[in-house]
């Protein structure tokens, strides 16, 4: 029985020739990635068009709608490797998604800026409510692609921005699934799910920053100062900000980032349903008391053949 299903123009001809595949689902900035390898000379007789949309299901679970972004042919032995991404893509790139731009944005809100940048590419934009009305200062896009510019804006708010299916979502970690219309999942992992010698918990260094210092200086007035968030030991941000509000905002985001980076769980699992980035994961049956409690999945990489697959998972939680 096939564990992976691909549907779309040209997929039916290639599906019987599929030998290997890999799908990475991450809560990070990078768009999800799917690679399909088709073997045999016949595969090179059915090369799909760039930008073609394929809907992908693994083990009965919908994993998203992807667009073909790159194709390569191996001549001997004959193979066809197709790479797909949820990002809007076409060879012509009529909307200029991959084009570096130089432009400015007047003071507005996070929602205004994300919409202004991403809606022209055909995305439905969704921004989490706690960030949508956040004010933005005068912003400069300096020879950056639109996705790089929005990623930089997201980092200022300790947020994530990425395409999911036909949407572009911008929100705090843990909120992207909800923004995209998917319910946040919970899954239990036990000893039988884990391949031997792969499950590990990494503990952070004892030296952890508990506070942030951020300097600011306003050129028009000459006023300057240092905003301090949290307690010792402090981490000092190298960038000098334009005013106290911006310095405070960045310091709060940086401290939130440090607080998120605690224990990390990694493992290779047998094929199992329910594992998505941002899912809540519980471990059962392990001896270590540190395994207990909720873990937040950051990245899952599914890979396999037509009939079997494994999952590499990375999950974290604060200490």
């Amino acid at each position: 029985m096939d564990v992976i299903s691909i549907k779309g123009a040209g997929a039916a001809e290639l599906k019987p020739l599929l030998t290997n595949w890999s799908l990475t689902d991450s809560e990070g900035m990078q768009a999800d990635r799917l690679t399909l390898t088709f073997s045999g000379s016949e595969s090179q007789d059915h090369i799909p068009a760039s930008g073609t949309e394929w809907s992908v299901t693994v083990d009965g679970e919908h994993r998203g709608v992807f667009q073909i972004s790159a194709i390569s042919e191996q001549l001997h032995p004959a193979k066809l490797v197709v790479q797909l991404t949820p990002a809007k893509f076409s060879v012509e790139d009529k909307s200029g998604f991959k084009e570096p731009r130089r432009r400015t944005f007047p003071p507005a809100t996070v929602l205004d800026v994300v919409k202004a940048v991403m809606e022209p590419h055909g995305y439905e934009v969704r921004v989490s409510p706690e960030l949508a009305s956040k004010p933005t200062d005068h912003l400069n896009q300096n020879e950056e692609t639109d996705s790089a510019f929005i990623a930089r804006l997201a980092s200022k708010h300790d947020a994530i921005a990425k395409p999911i299916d036909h949407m572009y979502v911008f929100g705090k970690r843990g909120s992207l699934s909800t923004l995209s219309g998917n319910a946040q999942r919970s899954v239990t992992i036990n000893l039988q799910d884990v391949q031997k010698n792969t499950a590990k918990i990494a503990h952070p260094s004892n030296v952890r920053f508990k506070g942030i210092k951020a300097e600011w200086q306003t050129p028009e007035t000459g006023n300057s100062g240092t905003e301090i968030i949290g307690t010792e030991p402090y981490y000092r941000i190298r960038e000098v900000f334009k005013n106290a509000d911006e310095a405070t905002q960045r310091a709060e985001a940086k401290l939130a980032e440090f607080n998120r980076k605690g224990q990390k769980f990694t493992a290779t699992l047998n094929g199992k349903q329910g594992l998505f980035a941002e899912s809540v994961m519980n471990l059962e049956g392990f001896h270590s008391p540190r395994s207990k409690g909720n873990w937040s999945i950051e990245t899952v990489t599914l890979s396999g053949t037509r009939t079997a697959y494994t999952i590499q998972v990375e999950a974290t939680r604060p200490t």
Side-chain angles (χ1 to χ4, degrees):
M1 178 180 176
D2 290 351
V3 298
I4 182 170
S5 170
I6 52 175
K7 295 182 179 180
E13 292 82 3
L14 286 170
K15 176 65 184 299
L17 308 174
L18 180 66
T19 52
N20 297 94
W21 58 274
S22 175
L23 190 158
T24 298
D25 176 12
S26 171
E27 70 152 17
M29 295 287 188
Q30 194 169 18
D32 298 345
R33 303 179 304 281
L34 173 64
T35 301
L36 304 170
T37 301
F38 305 94
S39 296
S41 57
E42 186 181 349
S43 65
Q44 297 172 347
D45 296 330
H46 301 285
I47 296 180
S50 177
T52 298
E53 290 191 354
W54 284 354
S55 177
V56 178
T57 300
V58 176
D59 206 2
E61 292 181 319
H62 177 67
R63 303 297 308 202
V65 177
F66 294 80
Q67 290 181 306
I68 295 174
S69 57
I71 297 173
S72 61
E73 295 181 76
Q74 179 176 304
L75 300 183
H76 184 70
K79 291 183 180 179
L80 185 71
V81 180
V82 180
Q83 297 179 354
L84 304 95
T85 172
K88 290 289 182 180
F89 183 85
S90 68
V91 173
E92 295 85 2
D93 193 21
K94 293 179 180 179
S95 68
F97 188 78
K98 299 184 295 180
E99 175 187 338
R101 302 179 191 272
R102 179 182 291 274
R103 55 181 172 174
T104 60
F105 295 85
T109 67
V110 168
L111 178 61
D112 293 333
V113 174
V114 180
K115 278 191 168 185
V117 173
M118 288 301 172
E119 282 187 342
H121 298 301
Y123 285 115
E124 175 189 346
V125 171
R126 295 186 180 180
V127 178
S128 58
E130 67 268 31
L131 295 177
S133 59
K134 288 271 189 182
T136 57
D137 291 329
H138 184 91
L139 298 176
N140 294 314
Q141 185 174 354
N142 298 317
E143 294 300 327
E144 299 167 285
T145 63
D146 287 347
S147 58
F149 171 67
I150 294 300
R152 183 160 60 87
L153 176 64
S155 69
K156 292 182 178 181
H157 298 277
D158 189 38
I160 292 293
K162 64 184 287 187
I164 298 178
D165 285 351
H166 297 101
M167 292 170 284
Y168 198 91
V169 295
F170 186 111
K172 294 289 188 181
R173 286 169 171 80
S175 70
L176 299 194
S177 294
T178 303
L179 285 174
S180 64
N182 298 316
Q184 190 180 48
R185 299 167 173 84
S186 179
V187 62
T188 298
I189 302 299
N190 56 43
L191 288 171
Q192 290 71 37
D193 295 321
V194 177
Q195 296 196 351
K196 288 185 178 180
N197 300 317
T198 66
K200 299 177 182 178
I201 296 176
H203 298 268
S205 166
N206 290 329
V207 180
R208 294 182 59 79
F209 295 108
K210 296 182 179 179
I212 308 292
K213 291 184 177 182
E215 298 179 3
W216 59 274
Q217 184 173 34
T218 305
E220 293 80 5
T221 64
N223 293 336
S224 63
T226 301
E227 301 305 308
I228 301 175
I229 301 296
T231 60
E232 294 182 342
Y234 291 106
Y235 175 86
R236 184 181 293 274
I237 299 177
R238 293 183 179 181
E239 183 180 355
V240 178
F241 302 101
K242 293 182 291 185
N243 53 58
D245 288 343
E246 184 180 3
T248 298
Q249 185 181 83
R250 291 297 298 277
E252 290 174 344
K254 193 68 177 178
L255 185 57
E257 177 187 340
F258 281 136
N259 288 337
R260 276 189 290 101
K261 295 180 177 179
Q263 296 170 338
K264 182 175 183 179
F265 171 83
T266 57
T268 300
L269 311 178
N270 302 316
K272 181 182 178 72
Q273 291 183 335
L275 289 158
F276 291 79
E278 297 196 338
S279 294
V280 175
M281 184 181 71
N282 294 285
L283 304 179
E284 283 188 357
F286 297 89
H287 175 74
S288 171
R290 269 76 60 187
S291 66
K292 301 184 187 305
N294 289 338
W295 294 81
S296 176
I297 296 179
E298 291 193 345
T299 303
V300 290
T301 300
L302 295 75
S303 58
T305 64
R306 282 174 53 193
T307 58
Y309 72 108
T310 59
I311 305 173
Q312 290 181 299
V313 61
E314 296 180 5
T316 60
R317 64 180 176 193
T319 50

